[in-house]
């Protein structure tokens, strides 16, 4: 079996709470992201961009999320607010993958979003290949326009993933996978 197929068969997510230092250094991160953006891109639109959340910025982002959550749900418990404050603090690095939709393009918006999703998945694969752990998360913040504003997103931009990156602090067992025979069929006219 090729190394590439072996990588695909072994890749798994590491929960963000189980990701610690170190994150990829600058040179490794640059190499990882350069590889991650090599995705199918109908029309060569480059319908994505990346936003790094690191260090104090993750804390400030968490505070903004807690403020937005409080406005949207004033009855929210202090425990849930604390979860919003700390959601992005566990992994040393979080990459927000943003779909940057060109609304006037002949390329359907779903294809543009899938392109951005492929970038997120390539980050997961690349991180695993380099010995790091990663988890793709979304949650309400990925779909909230006020959060989009806090990230500086334009009206045509949407978060498709918050990819949490770091070094796994535990050995994560693989989950049960579906049987391929139950998923594949052959179409006949």
């Amino acid at each position: 079996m090729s190394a590439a197929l072996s990588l695909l068969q072994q890749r798994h997510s590491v929960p963000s709470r189980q990701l610690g230092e170190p994150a990829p250094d600058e040179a490794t991160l640059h190499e990882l992201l350069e590889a991650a953006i090599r995705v199918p891109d109908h029309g060569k639109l480059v319908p994505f961009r990346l936003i790094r959340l690191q260090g104090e910025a993750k804390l400030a982002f968490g505070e903004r999320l807690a403020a937005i959550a409080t406005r949207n749900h004033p009855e929210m418990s202090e425990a849930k607010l604390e979860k919003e404050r700390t959601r992005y603090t566990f992994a040393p690095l979080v990459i927000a993958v943003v779909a940057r939709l060109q609304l006037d393009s002949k390329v359907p918006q779903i294809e543009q979003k899938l392109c951005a999703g492929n970038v997120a998945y390539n980050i997961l694969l690349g991180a695993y290949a380099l010995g790091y752990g990663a988890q793709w998360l979304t949650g309400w913040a990925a779909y909230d326009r006020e959060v989009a504003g806090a990230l500086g997103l334009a009206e045509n931009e949407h978060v498709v993933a918050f990819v949490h990156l770091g070094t796994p602090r535990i050995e994560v067992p693989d989950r049960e996978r579906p049987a391929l025979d139950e998923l594949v069929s052959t179409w006949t006219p």
Side-chain angles (χ1 to χ4, degrees):
M1 175 183 308
S2 76
L5 282 179
S6 179
L7 172 74
L8 289 173
Q9 289 184 330
Q10 295 173 33
R11 192 222 61 87
H12 60 273
S13 294
V14 177
S16 64
R17 290 177 177 266
Q18 300 303 327
L19 294 169
E21 294 285 356
D25 62 34
E26 284 300 316
T28 304
L29 181 62
H30 183 82
E31 195 174 4
L32 169 60
L33 297 179
E34 284 243 317
I37 63 172
R38 294 181 58 94
V39 294
D41 181 2
H42 184 186
K44 300 176 188 161
L45 301 177
V46 190
F48 53 83
R49 68 184 180 101
L50 308 171
I51 300 172
R52 292 169 58 163
L53 298 170
Q54 274 182 294
E56 294 296 317
K58 293 185 309 173
L59 299 173
F61 187 61
E63 288 298 328
R64 290 213 183 158
L65 288 186
I68 293 167
T70 299
R71 281 194 297 280
N72 292 340
H73 305 282
E75 74 289 352
M76 187 177 283
S77 71
E78 186 53 42
K80 287 188 177 185
L81 281 174
E82 186 60 21
K83 184 177 180 181
E84 298 305 333
R85 273 187 201 95
T86 61
R87 181 181 302 274
Y88 298 90
T89 62
F90 302 105
L93 173 63
V94 179
I95 305 286
V97 180
V98 176
R100 185 172 54 183
L101 305 179
Q102 294 187 27
L103 305 177
D104 60 349
S105 172
K106 68 177 181 176
V107 177
Q109 289 181 29
I110 185 66
E111 288 187 29
Q112 295 181 54
K113 286 182 183 177
L114 288 170
C115 180
N118 282 325
V119 172
Y121 188 60
N122 277 354
I123 295 171
L124 294 180
L125 285 175
Y128 185 76
L130 293 168
Y132 293 97
Q135 186 177 29
W136 173 338
L137 296 171
T138 50
W140 70 270
Y143 308 104
D144 187 275
R145 288 315 298 169
E146 193 172 350
V147 173
L151 286 169
L153 304 189
E155 198 58 39
N156 66 319
E157 294 182 315
H158 310 276
V159 172
V160 296
F162 290 105
V163 180
H164 299 245
L165 290 161
T167 299
R169 294 188 295 184
I170 63 167
E171 184 75 26
V172 178
D174 199 12
R175 66 178 172 84
E176 189 174 325
R177 304 294 174 162
L180 184 62
D181 293 346
E182 297 172 11
L183 301 172
V184 177
S185 63
T186 301
W187 182 84
T188 54

